[in-house]
Amino acid sequence: MGLFLNACKDVNEYRIDPAFDVYVQRFEEEAAKRNQAFHFETDGLIVEFANLKDDQAGLCHFEHPIRIEVDRTYWQKISNTAGADAMKENLIFHEMGHGILGRKHLNDVFENGDWKSMMCGGTKVNNRPWNINYRRQRRIYYIDELFNQSISAPPYTTTQLLQDTTGFVNVMTLSFDSNKKTDTGWNLGDFSTHTMLIDNKRLKCVSKYTTSSALLLTVQNQAVDFRNDFSFEFNIECQSNSASDKYGLTFGINNTTNDTIEYFKIDRQQNMFMGNSGWYGFYTQLRRNELKPSGNNKLKIIRVGASLYYFINNVYAYQTEIELQGSGTNFGFIIPARATIWLDAMKIGLKGNAKLSPQTIDVRNLKFSIKALENSDQLRAN
Ligand SMILES: [Zn+2]
Ligand SMILES: [Zn+2]
């Protein structure tokens, strides 16, 4: 019976679940652009849903034809997030990299910490999650690399800051040195969601939330809008149950629950994470020696054009494109569930020519809002 089935098996079977069709087509198109011709409809390929074990997102079986399985639950989960198309493409292209291009896992990293290849996977390296910043200029590079491993490293993968990020003038500073509203920005007191007080010239916030949350101030001045170039920084310290709890700096829109915020988080194990709250998980996780595992760290984001530049204790750490669309004036911090955060020296800067004098921002009128965040998900293995 087995032999009979084997003899009759159609080695050119072409069976693609409609959910994956667009990505299989795209793979053929991207290959064709690079003078590599594939004709799966005649040569055969199977891509189907399965219930995979061991936290797997996808699995490639080296059969005739090549058969790829994608975990149904994971696919549905990422479908509801802002980065769904990029994440799905990354997953299907990775599996086709194995099955069609014969690529094996490659877990090298660039100088800036980015994965060198979308073929990262298999056995974890230093327990780093598989999250890959598969977006915009990096997406283009990763597809190039998928079809041509000898491609050279893109400029952004160095630790060199390639953009002039100087020329910002502070237009709002919160010193937290006294209980005056002009120093605190935030309202002090014991609220249902958190407690806020001044502690030895720093802002001390204790969260009562059971999830991570963002505490945001709305700056009542349209010049201080994240769609313009800006700089945003503060010193931050965190105490919480776990050294892997993530906390940090955030800005964005918070009018409805669908609005998203962009974030720059760290933990107390010298890791940084950047991302957008509408996405499934952080873009990627990077180990940074500049991060102090305890005490204060100074975090800073500078926007120039479409890019965000991340700094840790005045050292340039990373660059990537902003994901936030639209316009907004919310700036604040992210606090883990039931954690304590100390903030100091919070500053927002604009380009020197942005025509805003510091006194036009009345910090006594800052509005406050809070946004509950889902705990960041790690990407699954593939
Ligand atoms: Zn202070
Ligand atoms: Zn793989």
Side-chain angles (χ1 to χ4, degrees):
M1 194 63 174
L3 269 176
F4 173 80
L5 275 175
N6 197 39
C8 285
K9 197 180 170 196
D10 179 6
V11 297
N12 302 118
E13 184 181 0
Y14 180 75
R15 183 160 48 83
I16 312 292
D17 188 286
F20 312 124
D21 209 34
V22 58
Y23 304 105
V24 173
Q25 297 298 329
R26 240 185 246 173
F27 185 95
E28 254 190 58
E29 288 160 21
E30 295 293 345
K33 282 185 206 167
R34 293 159 179 88
N35 297 315
Q36 296 182 40
F38 294 103
H39 306 285
F40 302 118
E41 273 184 67
T42 46
D43 297 345
L45 178 68
I46 297 170
V47 187
E48 59 190 359
F49 279 116
N51 299 312
L52 298 178
K53 292 177 290 186
D54 305 324
D55 213 31
Q56 287 272 315
L59 199 56
C60 180
H61 299 273
F62 291 87
E63 303 167 354
H64 302 287
I66 291 295
R67 185 169 64 90
I68 291 166
E69 292 182 312
V70 174
D71 187 73
R72 191 186 308 273
T73 314
Y74 182 72
W75 189 268
Q76 277 164 4
K77 237 175 145 181
I78 62 176
S79 289
N80 302 320
T81 64
D85 185 62
M87 289 185 68
K88 289 174 173 181
E89 179 185 286
N90 176 47
L91 174 55
I92 300 299
F93 280 23
H94 175 104
E95 299 308 333
M96 292 179 80
H98 287 310
I100 306 300
L101 303 174
R103 296 268 327 243
K104 296 190 166 51
H105 284 143
L106 178 63
N107 290 333
D108 292 356
V109 294
F110 286 121
E111 201 183 9
N112 74 339
D114 270 328
W115 294 111
K116 193 175 184 183
S117 172
M118 67 190 291
M119 293 312 296
C120 60
T123 308
K124 276 194 173 181
V125 186
N126 301 323
N127 208 32
R128 179 178 175 179
W130 295 118
N131 297 47
I132 180 168
N133 195 352
Y134 188 80
R135 302 159 51 247
R136 300 169 192 257
Q137 62 181 344
R138 284 172 173 82
R139 172 182 171 263
I140 294 165
Y141 159 78
Y142 282 127
I143 297 174
D144 281 340
E145 194 276 344
L146 182 66
F147 291 99
N148 173 19
Q149 279 190 75
S150 58
I151 185 176
S152 54
Y156 61 77
T157 59
T158 70
T159 51
Q160 227 75 42
L161 176 58
L162 302 171
Q163 171 72 42
D164 179 12
T165 55
T166 61
F168 288 87
V169 177
N170 287 329
V171 295
M172 192 186 104
T173 302
L174 298 176
S175 70
F176 311 116
D177 287 356
S178 82
N179 282 22
K180 280 190 293 183
K181 186 74 198 289
T182 48
D183 282 342
T184 67
W186 274 277
N187 285 327
L188 305 181
D190 188 16
F191 307 100
S192 62
T193 49
H194 65 284
T195 301
M196 203 79 100
L197 57 109
I198 295 299
D199 175 26
N200 202 11
K201 298 194 173 184
R202 291 193 293 174
L203 184 76
K204 180 181 179 182
C205 176
V206 182
S207 172
K208 298 177 184 177
Y209 263 107
T210 52
T211 64
S212 170
S213 58
L215 282 77
L216 297 155
L217 287 176
T218 309
V219 182
Q220 312 273 51
N221 190 308
Q222 293 312 308
V224 189
D225 191 311
F226 64 71
R227 74 181 166 183
N228 304 320
D229 290 356
F230 68 88
S231 70
F232 177 37
E233 67 182 70
F234 51 55
N235 294 327
I236 189 165
E237 178 176 352
C238 178
Q239 264 180 21
S240 67
N241 284 336
S242 167
S244 63
D245 283 340
K246 302 179 184 74
Y247 58 99
L249 176 158
T250 185
F251 61 90
I253 316 175
N254 192 27
N255 300 324
T256 73
T257 46
N258 289 332
D259 291 332
T260 66
I261 52 176
E262 201 90 9
Y263 59 78
F264 172 16
K265 295 191 279 197
I266 57 174
D267 66 14
R268 284 172 282 149
Q269 298 170 326
Q270 295 189 299
N271 295 310
M272 69 173 275
F273 314 81
M274 72 308 286
N276 178 284
S277 64
W279 282 55
Y280 178 77
F282 41 87
Y283 302 149
T284 195
Q285 173 184 316
L286 302 171
R287 178 67 57 90
R288 280 288 172 267
N289 292 331
E290 294 79 22
L291 279 170
K292 287 177 276 177
S294 61
N296 258 313
N297 283 287
K298 180 179 168 184
L299 302 184
K300 182 175 191 170
I301 277 191
I302 292 181
R303 176 177 189 162
V304 180
S307 284
L308 297 176
Y309 298 84
Y310 304 75
F311 298 82
I312 298 166
N313 297 320
N314 299 317
V315 178
Y316 167 65
Y318 196 67
Q319 169 275 336
T320 195
E321 296 96 331
I322 189 168
E323 199 58 46
L324 262 181
Q325 305 289 315
S327 167
T329 60
N330 294 296
F331 294 84
F333 63 93
I334 290 175
I335 184 168
R338 304 204 181 278
T340 302
I341 287 276
W342 287 267
L343 271 202
D344 203 6
M346 173 169 157
K347 295 171 187 170
I348 296 174
L350 298 177
K351 275 285 182 184
N353 59 7
K355 292 197 178 68
L356 177 79
S357 52
Q359 57 270 30
T360 56
I361 295 177
D362 189 348
V363 296
R364 288 166 301 183
N365 288 331
L366 295 175
K367 277 202 294 183
F368 169 75
S369 67
I370 190 163
K371 181 180 178 68
L373 300 170
E374 289 183 30
N375 292 320
S376 289
D377 284 297
Q378 298 192 1
L379 260 64
R380 293 224 200 153
N382 53 23

